[in-house]
Amino acid sequence: MVFLSVSLAYYQENNASKAAELLREKVATLATVLRDNIKQELKLPLIVPGDIIHLSAGDITPADARIIDAKDLFRQPICVNW
C-alpha cells in the first residue's frame, strides 16, 4: 500500500509539474507601453528605458520604473527583511 501511494503521488506531482510548465510557456506578461507616440502591448522583457508604461489596477510593473503621473495611487507598506 505504501509503494502504491508513493507511486501515485509521484505520478500526480509529475503531471501537475508538466501542466504548470506548459501554462507558464503559454502565458505572456504584457504591459501597455507608449513608444513613438503609439500605444502598444509588449512583453515585459522588451521594455526599454524611455518607454512610458500605462498601468491599470492589477498590472505588473518593472521594479525600476519611475512614476510620472498618478491618479488614486495608494502606497502599500513594504516590509523588507535584511
Side-chain angles (χ1 to χ4, degrees), residues 32-54:
T32 304
V33 175
L34 184 65
R35 184 183 283 179
D36 299 327
N37 291 326
I38 300 171
K39 276 191 180 180
Q40 309 172 20
E41 285 198 355
L42 298 175
K43 293 181 180 180
L44 288 184
L46 298 177
I47 296 174
V48 296
D51 286 341
I52 297 176
I53 305 166
H54 289 265

Side-chain angles (χ1 to χ4, degrees), residues 13-23:
E13 180 68 27
N14 193 23
N15 283 347
S17 178
K18 287 179 185 178
E21 187 61 35
L22 286 173
L23 282 174

Side-chain angles (χ1 to χ4, degrees), residues 55-80:
L55 298 175
S56 299
D59 283 352
I60 297 174
T61 179
D64 56 352
R66 292 183 191 164
I67 298 173
I68 297 173
D69 187 25
K71 178 184 176 189
D72 299 329
L73 178 68
F74 297 100
R75 183 173 180 264
Q76 297 294 324
I78 300 173
C79 179
V80 179

